Amino acid sequence: MAKKIFVLDTNVILHDHKAIRHFQDNNLVIPVAVIEELDKFKKGNDALAFNARGFVRDLDRITEGRMFGKDGVPIGKNAGLIKIEPNHPFPDELRDLFQDDIQDHRILATAIWVRDNHPGTFVALVTKDINLRMKSKAAGMEVQDYLTDKMDDETVEHTQNEVIDCVLPAQVMQKLTYGPTGSIKPSELPSSISGGKAGLKPNQLFRFSWSRGKEDAESMVAARYDADKREVVLVKAADAYGIRPRNIEQRFALDACLNPKVPLVSLTGGAGTGKTLLALAAALEQEKNYDQIILSRPAVVLGGQDIGFLPGDQKSKMSPYLQPLMDNLNVIKAQFSPSSRQALKIEAMLKEDKLLISPLAYIRGRSLGKVFFIIDEAQNLTPHEIKTIITRAGEGTKMVFTGDIFQIDQPYLDRWSNGVTHLGNKMDGQKLFQHVFLRKGERSELSEIASKLL
C-alpha cells in the first residue's frame, strides 16, 4: 500500500505531543508556521506548554545530527518520515480566496503546496480546528480530524447507558431488599443479564423492579455488582453531610463516592444533576480518612487568552472560575445552622487548608497521598491531562471527575475526544473504577423545565 502524507496543524500537537507516533508508516509534514505557533506556547505549566515542549524535544531527538533534506528523516522503527516544510503561498487560482495573512492560512497554503508537489500521493491536512477544516474543504484540500483518541458514537452512547434495567421475580427481589445480606448471586439474575461465562463486569449497575408489573421510579431498587464478593449488592439511600440523593442515579453516584474500594470515579451529566455536590458531600462525610480534600477545575478563558490579562493577584484572577465550587460548598453549609458542629468544621477545614479549592494548574506536579480530589468540569481536559492527573495519585487517594460531555468549552475537544469520554472507555470493567451518568436535573423545577424545553 502506498504511503500517505499527512500535514499536521498546531492544535494536533498541542492536543497530543506524541501524535507523530500514531500515523503508522505514513509520512508527516510540519509547516514552519506550526513551529512558530508552538514557540508561543512553550512557556508555562499548563498542558499546552507541556505538549509544545514535549513535541519539540522529541523532534530534536529524531533529527539529532541530521538535516531534513528533500524527503525528511525517519521517525522511528515501523514509522514513516517527518519533515519541516517552509511556508508556501497559495497557488494563483486560490490567492484571493482568503484575505487575512494568518497562521491558519499559511498552514493550509503549505498543505496545498505539498499536495500539488506529490502527484499520485494521498495528502491530507490533519486539524482539530473545525473552521480550518471548513476552509480546507472550500479550497478543495483533503482534510481530517485527529482520530487517534477519538471514540465512536457507540462508545459514547455506552457511557450513558451503563445501568441495566431488569424485572426480578418477587422472591429474588425480596431477598435483595429485605434479606440479611442485602445481596443476591449473579446466578439468580435472568440469564440474559447474568454475564454468561465472562461474568458481570465490576461495579455493573442495576435498576430492578418487581415482577408484578411496571413500577414508578420510587419503588425501583438500586444495586451494584461487587466483584470481590461476587454478589449483586443493594445500594441503599444513604446520606452524606446533610445531602441525600433525590433519585436512583444520585444514589449510585453517592455510593460510588463513598465506596473506599473504588478510588477512581467519573460522574457525568447535565447541569443541575448534582455531580459536584454529591462528590463534595461524600468527601466531607469521609474527611477523617483523608489528609486533605481538594476541589479543582481547569480555567478555560474565552477567546484563548491567558488568565494573566485579568486584573489582580492569583486569588482574584481565579475567583470567577472557582466560584461554582464555593456555591456547592455553600449549599452543604446551608443544611446546618451557622453555629452547628458541621458548619464550624467546614470553616476550620477551609482555614487550615484541609479543604482546599484550587485551580488545576497549581495542582500539576504534586504527589497526592491520602487526598480526596474532586476535578470539576473535567470534560475540558484532554485524555493526556486526565492521565497526568490520575498518575499523581498516591496511596489512599480517591479521585472523582465530574463533567458534562455536551458542554465543552475547549475549541479542539468534543464529546468523542475529551478526557472524560476517554477515561470511561479505557477504565470500563476495572474494579478500581466506577462511572455514573446522571440524567435527571435536581437543581430546581425551573432549571429542569428550561433544560428540556429551551
Side-chain angles (χ1 to χ4, degrees), residues 6-24:
F6 293 101
V7 182
L8 302 192
D9 189 10
T10 314
N11 50 66
V12 173
I13 295 165
L14 292 176
H15 178 79
D16 178 6
H17 72 280
K18 295 183 179 179
I20 60 174
R21 307 285 183 177
H22 299 149
F23 286 86
Q24 300 177 343

Side-chain angles (χ1 to χ4, degrees), residues 40-41 46 48 298-311 317-318 321 409-412:
K40 299 175 183 177
F41 285 97
D46 60 8
L48 298 182
V300 180
V301 186
L302 296 180
Q305 301 181 77
D306 187 81
I307 64 169
F309 82 96
L310 294 171
K317 287 175 187 288
M318 294 309 305
Y321 305 104
D409 301 311
Q410 291 283 21
Y412 305 130

Side-chain angles (χ1 to χ4, degrees), residues 262-276:
V262 182
L264 181 60
V265 176
S266 169
L267 305 180
T268 61
T273 51
K275 306 178 296 294
T276 309

Side-chain angles (χ1 to χ4, degrees), residues 191-252:
S191 58
S192 60
I193 63 167
S194 62
K197 291 183 180 180
L200 295 170
K201 69 178 183 180
N203 301 314
Q204 173 64 59
L205 302 177
F206 297 94
R207 198 162 32 216
F208 294 130
S209 56
W210 299 82
S211 60
R212 59 174 176 263
K214 187 176 181 181
E215 302 291 328
D216 57 24
E218 284 72 23
S219 65
M220 287 186 173
V221 173
R224 170 179 53 82
Y225 178 62
D226 189 318
D228 291 331
K229 295 181 178 180
R230 297 184 180 179
E231 292 179 331
V232 176
V233 299
L234 182 68
V235 176
K236 299 179 180 178
D239 62 75
Y241 230 78
I243 300 299
R244 189 173 183 83
R246 295 185 177 182
N247 56 56
I248 280 186
E249 293 162 356
Q250 288 193 352
R251 196 184 306 177
F252 285 134

Side-chain angles (χ1 to χ4, degrees), residues 86-211:
N87 293 332
H88 294 279
F90 282 108
D92 292 339
E93 64 272 18
L94 296 176
R95 193 152 293 170
D96 296 328
L97 185 61
F98 304 111
Q99 300 297 323
D100 295 332
D101 183 20
I102 59 176
Q103 296 290 44
D104 277 1
H105 295 165
R106 294 172 187 171
I107 292 168
L108 175 56
T110 300
I112 292 173
W113 183 91
V114 172
R115 179 199 65 190
D116 293 346
N117 282 269
H118 292 83
T121 301
F122 177 87
V123 179
L125 172 63
V126 182
T127 177
K128 297 192 71 61
D129 186 336
I130 297 176
N131 285 340
L132 183 54
R133 290 208 294 270
M134 294 304 103
K135 291 177 180 179
S136 299
K137 291 176 181 180
M141 178 68 206
E142 184 74 34
V143 63
Q144 299 178 2
D145 191 1
Y146 179 60
L147 301 175
T148 294
D149 54 13
K150 198 177 183 80
M151 305 299 171
D152 56 29
D153 284 318
E154 185 177 344
T155 300
V156 176
E157 184 71 18
H158 173 71
T159 65
Q160 301 172 47
N161 294 283
E162 79 285 359
V163 180
I164 295 178
D165 286 295
C166 177
V167 175
L168 286 184
Q171 66 271 22
V172 179
M173 187 73 106
Q174 192 84 13
K175 178 181 177 182
L176 174 65
T177 309
Y178 303 112
T181 62
S183 64
I184 57 176
K185 298 292 184 184
S187 58
E188 298 177 82
L189 297 173
S191 58
S192 60
I193 63 167
S194 62
K197 291 183 180 180
L200 295 170
K201 69 178 183 180
N203 301 314
Q204 173 64 59
L205 302 177
F206 297 94
R207 198 162 32 216
F208 294 130
S209 56
W210 299 82
S211 60

Side-chain angles (χ1 to χ4, degrees), residues 14-69:
L14 292 176
H15 178 79
D16 178 6
H17 72 280
K18 295 183 179 179
I20 60 174
R21 307 285 183 177
H22 299 149
F23 286 86
Q24 300 177 343
D25 62 346
N26 296 301
N27 297 330
L28 303 179
V29 171
I30 310 294
V32 163
V34 169
I35 301 299
E36 292 172 344
E37 284 195 306
L38 289 176
D39 195 52
K40 299 175 183 177
F41 285 97
K42 67 183 181 182
K43 295 180 181 179
N45 296 316
D46 60 8
L48 298 182
F50 173 87
N51 285 337
R53 291 192 299 267
F55 170 77
V56 173
R57 288 169 183 159
D58 193 22
L59 190 60
D60 186 51
R61 284 191 294 269
I62 290 171
T63 60
E64 187 175 5
R66 290 181 286 188
M67 303 294 288
F68 284 108

